[in-house]
Every structure is written in C-alpha cells, then in structure tokens.
Amino acid sequence: MYLSFLTMLFFQQEKSPSRFFKNKRSSGVSIVEVLLVVSLVGFLVLLISNTPSSINLIGKARKTDLAREIALKQIEAKRELLYVNLTDGTSPISDPRLNQLPAGSGQIIIGDCDLITCPDGNAKKVTSEVFWKEAGKTQSVKFTTIIAKGGLNQ
C-alpha cells in the first residue's frame, strides 16, 4: 500500500499543471529580468558618459581654488603692512604656486579709495587678481579690499 501511494504521488506530480509551468518558466528569461538588465546597462552607460565632464569640473575647481588661495594670501600680506607703507601702483604677484596654474600670473593694484566709498580719503583700495589659461580662455580670480589709516593693524 505504501508503495502504491508513492507511485500515485509521483505520477500526480508529473502530470500537475504547476510542474509543467515551472519547467517552461525556468528554461527562458522573464520580461522582468530583461527590463532589469536593460535598466542596469542604461545606468552604467549614463554613469560612464558623465565621467569625463566630472573630471574636467574637478580640475577646474582645483585651479580656481588655488588661484583664490594665492589672491587672498596677497591681500592678507598687504593688510599686515602699515598704511604709510602702501604705495600706489601695480606690482606682480610672486608666489611659487602660480607655476601650478597653466600660464599663471597675477598682480596687486593699490590705489586711493574713491570718495563715494571713503569720504574722508584716508583709505587705500587694494585689488589682488590671479590669471591663468584654461581651454584657451583666460580665467581670473579677483579680490578687492579697503585698508584705512588707523585700521585694524595700525
């Protein structure tokens, strides 16, 4: 009897519709699997296509940051001077880090502050500007400050 029960169970499993569909489904690829693979490939293509522009933006940001550091250091150096030692004129920036910028150069411009901003006339306008070339175009960073007679470091 036990043997006949096992035989009957075995034959029923072979003829059951669910067993038939399981074999058919495992032999092919479902539409969900195809959509998943297509979306994954599309995401990878999008990621790879944006990589060069991301690398260019990182390089540009590094150059801009370096130029800002150089220009701000020059402004701070001028702020440390006494007001009487600030002479009007233009002078080049001599920072060794300018060599890290392509065709890097810079200048400090010191002049009298305009009377609208400084009505008493006891202030100097100090501008620090750093230039470099990037993709054939001249880029620049410029900072301007006012140093007054009797100011913070006077």
Side-chain angles (χ1 to χ4, degrees), residues 6-148:
L6 286 177
T7 309
M8 186 175 77
L9 190 64
F10 176 73
F11 285 118
Q12 280 184 345
Q13 281 184 347
E14 237 176 83
K15 294 178 183 179
S16 81
S18 64
R19 175 88 173 156
F20 175 74
F21 288 121
K22 283 183 185 176
N23 284 340
K24 189 162 186 136
R25 188 181 304 170
S26 65
S27 66
V29 178
S30 72
I31 188 94
V32 174
E33 292 169 333
V34 171
L35 289 174
L36 183 65
V37 169
V38 167
S39 62
L40 183 63
V41 169
F43 176 74
L44 289 174
V45 166
L46 181 68
L47 185 67
I48 291 171
S49 69
N50 286 332
T51 301
S53 63
S54 298
I55 292 171
N56 289 339
L57 287 175
I58 290 169
K60 184 176 181 179
R62 285 183 182 160
K63 291 171 188 165
T64 304
D65 188 47
L66 178 61
R68 284 182 183 153
E69 286 179 24
I70 293 169
L72 286 174
K73 184 178 177 185
Q74 297 300 314
I75 291 281
E76 290 301 320
K78 295 301 179 191
R79 284 183 180 157
E80 292 174 4
L81 295 175
L82 293 174
Y83 179 79
V84 294
N85 293 334
L86 293 173
T87 57
D88 290 355
T90 302
S91 59
I93 294 176
S94 60
D95 192 309
R97 294 178 295 172
L98 282 172
N99 294 331
Q100 296 175 15
L101 296 171
S105 64
Q107 64 183 7
I108 299 273
I109 303 167
I110 301 174
D112 291 329
C113 183
D114 60 78
L115 292 176
I116 295 172
T117 308
C118 311
D120 60 359
N122 289 329
K124 299 281 185 181
K125 180 178 174 182
V126 179
T127 302
S128 175
E129 193 165 14
V130 175
F131 306 97
W132 73 97
K133 294 272 186 184
E134 188 164 347
K137 293 182 179 179
T138 301
Q139 305 291 325
S140 69
V141 170
K142 181 179 181 180
F143 290 102
T144 301
T145 189
I146 296 173
I147 301 175

